Amino acid sequence: MSAPTASPSPAPAKTRRVNVRTPEVMERVQAEVETHYRSVLVENLRKAGGVLTVGHTTIRLARDFGFCYGVERAIDLAYAARRVFADRKVYLLGEIIHNPEVNRQLQEMGIISIPISEHEAKLSTLDPDDVVIVPAFGAETRLMNIISERGCSVVDTTCGDVMSVWKRVRGYAKQGFTSIIHGKAEHEETRATSSRAMGDAGDGHFLVVLTLDDVDYVCDYIRKGGNREEFLQRFGKSVSKGFDPDKHLTRVGVANQTTMLKSETEELQRRVQKAVEDRDGAEVAKQNFQVFDTICGATQERQDSLFDMLRKPLDVLLVVGGYNSSNTTHLVEIGEKELPTFFIRTAECLKSFSDIVHFDLHLKAEKTSYSNKLAGNDPVVVGVTAGASCPNNLVEDTIIRVFELRGTPKAEVMAEAERVAAPVE
């Protein structure tokens, strides 16, 4: 693993945060966002209970999918920033969310994305006339300090759920607890959370773990110690500077990247708590272990909705979203345990049913596959869901494409969706 910044990161200095959500600006922004991402088809399907059958093809939508409140807010703020600062350079730290279509739209509006690898170098060249958008994942404290030092205006779109996790890990540091963070060490959110786990004084500690194998290794160390150098080599830069497993696993608090698979995070919490209890005894362990539920509510809803959908017969599952979207990836993991599942970025990935371009989580690359279920003329039920960063228009495009490849034109699909959504008189 490589990733979160391991050097001490003091709390960010006061930044020039600006409010761009004025009524006149937001009226324009909301109209523009709706033009880009709204789907009448999806709205009608939701009214109809999420099911549409035309001919031998049935589409079943998950109850909860697509944009969550935090994503909608981040997009609104980014659009508003471009309108308010029309005559100034507006920069974005990486991606506003993990969806290529949304980020493409922002680039076309003239918002300049700074790649993660160039954050520090580029920010150091900005001046007070420049505007910096902080994405929904948040940003590391060292980056916020640079922005403050340069005097830039800041439009902060950090999700409220992410900031709740920051509050937790800061509290751990203040009490002398090490934060064990369940997440992807290179993910922007985990990097930002890790920097807050250093505490306001910069002397706190963190350890990022991803898999249950990682957790079991840590739990063995908690119970009986082990080879310190081997531990540090295994976790590389996924620990804070000066991290010593012989010292810093004595008192631990668990937190997580908000978009992780809920069941895995809960299992991680259980295993770490058990390890501390085995080492210290149940009573003392109460003083040396803390945990709080920090999974994003929208992530939970989308995972729970998919589990509900999988209780009914499905032939194929399509999961739509950006390949680097953590919460979308976990939907794919849930689906592929039950039935043929294709992780597609857009409807363009459905070139034909013998030529489906999709992302393989195990290969960590795109590949092309064939679906005999979709390609035949027999009745087929297709489940569709999407991550919290996927707009409804991409879900609509996917549904239309499935029907078209099955021989039903778009006009007929739209008409039938409107009919089933109409209230019964």
Side-chain angles (χ1 to χ4, degrees):
M1 291 183 178
S2 61
T5 304
S7 56
S9 298
K14 188 174 182 180
T15 53
R16 291 174 52 197
R17 287 182 170 82
V18 291
N19 176 27
V20 293
R21 294 175 66 94
T22 60
E24 61 275 15
V25 169
M26 293 314 298
E27 184 177 351
R28 290 180 56 197
V29 163
Q30 287 165 4
E32 192 171 16
V33 169
E34 183 170 303
T35 299
H36 286 165
Y37 306 121
R38 183 188 176 196
S39 166
V40 174
L41 174 61
V42 167
E43 291 169 8
N44 282 333
L45 286 190
R46 279 181 157 151
K47 291 176 185 176
V51 179
L52 179 65
T53 300
V54 184
H56 288 164
T57 306
T58 296
I59 292 289
R60 182 172 290 137
L61 280 175
R63 182 185 65 252
D64 297 297
F65 64 89
F67 280 174
C68 63
Y69 169 76
V71 165
E72 289 178 344
R73 174 181 172 275
I75 293 171
D76 285 351
L77 286 171
Y79 274 60
R82 179 69 283 176
R83 300 300 163 229
V84 171
F85 300 106
D87 59 344
R88 291 162 67 175
K89 288 184 179 179
V90 179
Y91 295 91
L92 169 63
L93 292 178
E95 300 179 327
I96 192 71
I97 56 173
H98 285 156
N99 186 276
E101 172 64 16
V102 174
N103 288 296
R104 181 188 65 78
Q105 290 281 5
L106 296 183
Q107 289 172 3
E108 289 186 356
M109 292 164 58
I111 294 176
I112 305 165
S113 175
I114 307 175
I116 292 177
S117 61
E118 301 173 16
H119 278 176
E120 192 164 348
K122 182 61 180 177
L123 289 177
S124 298
T125 69
L126 304 188
D127 60 47
D129 287 332
D130 295 322
V131 179
V132 179
I133 300 174
V134 177
F137 321 108
E140 297 167 73
T141 53
R142 67 185 179 90
L143 299 179
M144 297 304 294
N145 283 332
I146 294 173
I147 294 169
S148 178
E149 290 166 2
R150 303 304 298 175
C152 304
S153 296
V154 175
V155 177
D156 192 348
T157 80
T158 304
C159 175
D161 286 328
V162 173
M163 289 192 285
S164 293
V165 180
W166 294 353
K167 181 179 179 181
R168 261 332 147 198
V169 297
R170 278 198 179 107
Y172 289 160
K174 187 175 183 179
Q175 298 172 61
F177 280 68
T178 293
S179 291
I180 297 180
I181 303 169
H182 182 210
K184 300 172 182 177
E186 295 182 354
H187 192 283
E188 300 97 313
E189 181 191 327
T190 299
R191 294 166 68 102
T193 296
S194 297
S195 71
R196 270 73 182 185
M198 303 288 287
D200 293 340
D203 57 357
H205 290 281
F206 66 82
L207 165 66
V208 179
V209 293
L210 177 60
T211 68
L212 291 178
D213 283 343
D214 288 338
V215 176
D216 286 340
Y217 184 91
V218 172
C219 287
D220 284 344
Y221 207 102
I222 288 174
R223 288 187 176 95
K224 56 191 178 185
N227 186 315
R228 178 179 177 277
E229 296 307 316
E230 180 186 90
F231 185 102
L232 295 175
Q233 183 175 8
R234 174 173 180 136
F235 291 101
K237 294 182 179 180
S238 293
V239 296
S240 49
K241 185 177 181 181
F243 185 88
D244 184 343
D246 295 327
K247 297 178 181 178
H248 299 130
L249 292 177
T250 302
R251 307 183 79 198
V252 296
V254 178
N256 57 271
Q257 183 180 318
T258 59
T259 53
M260 299 304 287
L261 188 62
K262 180 182 177 182
S263 60
E264 281 195 3
T265 291
E266 290 176 339
E267 180 62 17
L268 178 152
Q269 294 167 350
R270 187 192 68 77
R271 294 187 189 187
V272 174
Q273 182 175 14
K274 184 65 166 58
V276 176
E277 289 176 349
D278 289 347
R279 182 193 64 194
D280 300 339
E283 287 304 311
V284 176
K286 293 177 182 178
Q287 308 302 316
N288 290 334
F289 176 80
Q290 292 189 46
V291 65
F292 296 90
D293 181 8
T294 51
I295 287 285
C296 161
T299 296
Q300 289 184 30
E301 288 174 354
R302 279 144 189 76
Q303 292 175 10
D304 292 344
S305 293
L306 179 54
F307 281 121
D308 287 344
M309 187 166 69
L310 292 173
R311 293 190 179 100
K312 301 175 183 178
L314 288 177
D315 296 302
V316 174
L317 177 66
L318 300 177
V319 181
V320 190
Y323 294 158
N324 58 342
S325 167
S326 178
N327 75 89
T328 310
T329 295
H330 295 309
L331 295 177
V332 178
E333 291 174 346
I334 292 169
E336 65 182 13
K337 292 178 181 177
E338 304 294 332
L339 77 168
T341 299
F342 298 97
F343 184 5
I344 62 173
R345 191 169 53 236
T346 67
E348 293 177 0
C349 292
L350 300 175
K351 300 181 182 301
S352 71
F353 291 142
S354 60
D355 193 15
I356 300 175
V357 178
H358 63 107
F359 191 79
D360 188 306
L361 298 181
H362 311 285
L363 296 176
K364 298 188 182 343
E366 274 190 337
K367 71 177 185 180
T368 301
S369 299
Y370 169 81
S371 173
N372 61 335
K373 288 281 189 180
L374 292 172
N377 294 318
D378 294 335
V380 66
V381 181
V382 182
V384 177
T385 190
S389 53
C390 182
N392 281 351
N393 66 307
L394 298 188
V395 176
E396 173 178 312
D397 291 345
T398 298
I399 294 170
I400 293 296
R401 183 61 177 159
V402 170
F403 276 113
E404 287 179 337
L405 289 174
R406 295 273 296 175
T408 303
K410 177 178 179 179
E412 188 175 338
V413 176
M414 299 297 286
E416 179 61 13
E418 185 176 358
R419 185 191 70 79
V420 299
V424 177
E425 296 181 359

